[in-house]
Amino acid sequence: MMVSGHYHLTYCTNIHPGENWKVTFENLKKYVPIIKRAFSANNDFGLGLRLSNQASIELAKDGNLEKFKEWLHENGVYIFTMNGFPYGNFHHQRVKDQVHAPDWTTDERYDYTSRLFDQLTILLPKGMSGGISTSPVSYKHWFSSKDAIQDAFEKGARNMLEIAQKLYQIEQEKGIYLHLDIEPEPDGLLENTEDVLMFFNDYLLPIGAKYFKKRMGLNAVESEALIKRHLTLCYDVCHFSLAYEEPGDTFEKLREQGVRIGKVQISAALKLLFDEAAKEDIWNALSRFDEPVYLHQVTERTGESVKTYSDLPEVLGKKNDFLELRAHFHVPIFLEQFAPLYSTQDHIIKVLDYLKKDAVCDHLEVETYTWEVLPEQLKEELPTSIVRELNWVKQRLGR
């Protein structure tokens, strides 16, 4: 939905199972019309589409893409952003660190992302820009040395630069502006603002200068402009709150370096504030979020640095005292407290308040995908929960 002419506000369909196109389309037909009627009855409704690799392959066959485009038109729905982070199945089986696989060092990740952009080019309404969010190059714990990490950054940069060239050519030939939105998260090779700027300055720009000079005859200034136009940041609020970074600081640092934000994913993490008297209750409450499907990194601020624990069991096994912990669990954004736990909803509010005065991005996507693995007391009927989240954002934006 276009909110007051400034933002496209949607939710991400990674909330629905979609291991193949048949299942994906069945779930879209089941849920999206209900959500649209409740949230955007009189206007077209923008959708954040998530396709697994298998679903994307099947969408390209047997006229499925044209049938889907026709269904979107008939139902007043349009696609402007896609989630290209999870490659495989995202429900009903263990995902954990495999959400990063295959990573950006592989041809498989390039081929998947390239195909998604081909499909977005066809689905995107005329005159609108489109973006696809993607992984932060790879997963940190898959590499045992600095040399291996450097090699991953170099390979990842080259594959992303090939995507940038593809997007440049699409814009030149068809007038469609597309961007790849790189999404940092805890224990990814990119975790925070500093990492993102390092990746641009140490890898994308220098490797890209040689790449685009050889491929297209561009000088360094022209190459940098192309790279920063088509390779952007996906600012996931949950992930950046886990990095203990203030939104305004991140946005200003990116602006100074000319790095664009392609998408803001609106999501909340769990927050634990130490209370000696309620310590046992806090640990018991947190243990109810320990589930076997997704990776739930935990971060702790220690002085000027942030310590990351790879998953909830690592913290629950020790139960050390702390001042504050934050856990990567996308909890409902409309709740500030899950007594005796809290959420990082305050971080979302800061982001939305900033957007009201400075629209650094017009693609807003609510990304609470953990509904089916939430503790029972937090579960509601799915469409009701999604609409409640969308309305909460709309109200916070003052629209």
Side-chain angles (χ1 to χ4, degrees), residues 74-221:
E74 289 172 353
N75 287 273
V77 179
Y78 62 94
I79 307 295
F80 68 96
T81 186
M82 296 171 75
N83 187 337
F85 194 147
Y87 177 96
N89 192 9
F90 200 55
H91 291 268
H92 309 314
Q93 69 181 51
R94 183 180 175 88
V95 178
K96 295 294 182 180
D97 62 330
Q98 291 303 303
V99 72
H100 292 272
D103 65 16
W104 271 102
T105 68
T106 66
D107 292 342
E108 289 86 353
R109 174 62 64 172
Y110 171 83
D111 292 342
Y112 167 56
T113 307
S114 179
R115 190 187 321 113
L116 290 181
F117 273 116
D118 290 338
Q119 293 167 342
L120 182 57
T121 300
I122 293 169
L123 295 172
L124 189 69
K126 188 175 181 180
M128 203 174 288
S129 67
I132 297 176
S133 49
T134 193
S135 82
V137 185
S138 190
Y139 182 62
K140 185 176 289 184
H141 295 300
W142 291 347
F143 303 94
S144 57
S145 69
K146 288 183 178 179
D147 287 346
I149 289 176
Q150 182 176 333
D151 184 57
F153 274 132
E154 289 175 355
K155 288 179 179 176
R158 288 192 183 95
N159 278 327
M160 288 185 182
L161 290 165
E162 283 202 40
I163 291 289
Q165 182 180 9
K166 176 190 180 83
L167 302 186
Y168 171 83
Q169 290 168 339
I170 289 173
E171 185 167 25
Q172 294 303 303
E173 294 167 9
K174 301 180 180 180
I176 299 171
Y177 171 46
L178 301 169
H179 41 85
L180 179 67
D181 311 326
I182 305 164
E183 182 181 341
E185 76 163 41
D187 281 340
L189 284 187
L190 306 178
E191 298 188 82
N192 51 41
T193 306
E194 182 180 334
D195 289 349
V196 170
L197 295 177
M198 176 279 299
F199 185 50
F200 271 87
N201 293 326
D202 294 355
Y203 293 94
L204 288 173
L205 296 182
I207 294 172
K210 296 176 183 176
Y211 177 94
F212 288 117
K213 182 178 182 180
K214 181 178 179 181
R215 293 283 188 96
M216 298 167 58
L218 301 185
N219 62 37
V221 173

Side-chain angles (χ1 to χ4, degrees), residues 83 85 99-100 134-136 182-188 190-193 233-245 250 265-270 295 297 299 306 308 326-330 344 347-348 367 369:
N83 187 337
F85 194 147
V99 72
H100 292 272
T134 193
S135 82
I182 305 164
E183 182 181 341
E185 76 163 41
D187 281 340
L190 306 178
E191 298 188 82
N192 51 41
T193 306
L233 175 75
C234 174
Y235 183 94
D236 185 302
V237 184
C238 168
H239 298 172
F240 276 86
S241 71
L242 287 159
Y244 292 83
E245 293 189 0
T250 294
Q265 283 184 326
I266 301 168
S267 56
L270 277 174
L295 201 58
Q297 305 94 324
T299 60
V306 175
T308 301
R326 297 181 181 182
H328 182 202
F329 200 115
H330 287 217
T344 56
H347 207 96
I348 298 174
E367 202 213 6
Y369 58 78

Side-chain angles (χ1 to χ4, degrees), residues 339-391:
L341 309 178
Y342 297 83
S343 82
T344 56
Q345 186 195 75
D346 56 326
H347 207 96
I348 298 174
I349 292 170
K350 289 176 183 177
V351 170
L352 298 180
D353 286 346
Y354 192 98
L355 289 175
K356 283 191 286 187
K357 64 180 182 180
D358 185 354
V360 296
C361 176
D362 63 357
H363 286 190
L364 308 183
E365 180 183 60
V366 175
E367 202 213 6
T368 307
Y369 58 78
T370 53
W371 296 102
E372 67 181 26
V373 296
L374 281 171
E376 286 299 324
Q377 69 270 24
L378 296 179
K379 292 183 180 179
E380 291 187 53
E381 191 179 5
L382 190 57
T384 303
S385 297
I386 294 169
V387 171
R388 187 175 175 186
E389 293 206 305
L390 291 169
N391 280 326

